[in-house]
Amino acid sequence: SNEEHALILEDDCMLRVDVPRRNEAFLPPANYDICILTCGLGQFHDKPDTRDALPVYKQVGDILANVPLDFNNPGSYGYILSRAAAKQLIERVDADGFFGDVDIRMLAYGLPREALSGISEASFVRKALDAHFRVIADRPCLAVYSCAPCLVMPGRIGSVRHRSNLALHAHETL
């Protein structure tokens, strides 16, 4: 595609707002690489969660620095990617390999390693991020944002992949 931005949605999500095909007001800040569309991080924005509001964007490092130590819900339902980030993601995953959940990898690429110190070692998100940081190269962070209000929400039927992952990996720890 020749587009500068891409909207990528999980197969089990629904839009919460009517997003016009072209509207600059919905775009993340000019310096963004990735915008994670998540209700989990969106709850830590100062913006009220109303369907008719335009999104406000915050970098994920700033959000995670202020979440409760037991925070466990960073999951994403979609992403907005810049063209430059799409190319960088391909290069990074090619170099680092890939495992686990895409949303956790996107968070890891947007966080300095020292950002983990504010997250409880016992929480799911900390264990998942630690696992990704063990395999990704130490390089400059991508500009990863989250927006509020959340533009998407989980689908009504749930995720078949999530249930499958739970059943398949129930005996493992991260």
Side-chain angles (χ1 to χ4, degrees):
S1 165
N2 293 324
E3 299 295 329
E4 290 301 314
H5 314 278
L7 174 63
I8 300 164
L9 299 174
E10 295 275 342
D11 64 344
D12 60 339
C13 79
M14 298 174 12
L15 289 173
R16 292 187 68 219
V17 296
D18 291 328
V19 180
R21 179 158 167 74
R22 300 242 184 238
N23 186 333
E24 300 301 317
F26 277 90
L27 289 179
N31 70 330
Y32 95 103
D33 291 309
I34 301 166
C35 177
I36 297 174
L37 303 178
T38 171
C39 296
L41 292 175
Q43 67 184 309
F44 299 108
H45 282 265
D46 300 328
K47 180 98 173 154
D49 192 13
T50 59
R51 290 181 184 217
D52 58 348
L54 289 175
V56 171
Y57 296 92
K58 286 177 115 174
Q59 286 199 289
V60 294
D62 295 338
I63 296 169
L64 287 176
N66 297 305
V67 299
L69 291 179
D70 61 349
F71 175 64
N72 281 320
N73 185 23
S76 302
Y77 308 113
Y79 314 90
I80 302 172
L81 295 180
S82 70
R83 174 185 291 283
K87 290 178 183 177
Q88 285 189 54
L89 286 171
I90 291 168
E91 291 169 6
R92 288 178 183 223
V93 170
D94 187 47
D96 299 334
F98 190 79
F99 76 96
D101 293 311
V102 172
D103 42 9
I104 302 295
R105 179 60 66 96
M106 300 268 195
L107 283 175
Y109 282 147
L111 293 172
R113 293 172 194 267
E114 59 270 13
L116 295 184
S117 64
I119 303 169
S120 170
E121 291 181 18
S123 73
F124 166 79
V125 70
R126 173 64 184 266
K127 290 177 184 177
L129 284 167
D130 280 340
H132 281 275
F133 276 125
R134 283 194 290 275
V135 298
I136 63 176
D138 193 13
R139 59 173 75 87
C141 294
L142 297 175
V144 180
Y145 287 80
S146 172
C147 71
C150 187
L151 302 178
V152 294
M153 63 184 182
R156 297 192 197 295
I157 60 170
S159 171
V160 173
R161 182 195 56 82
H162 178 68
R163 283 194 305 272
S164 175
N165 281 352
L166 289 176
L168 182 65
H169 301 291
H171 65 284
E172 299 175 6
T173 59
L174 293 175

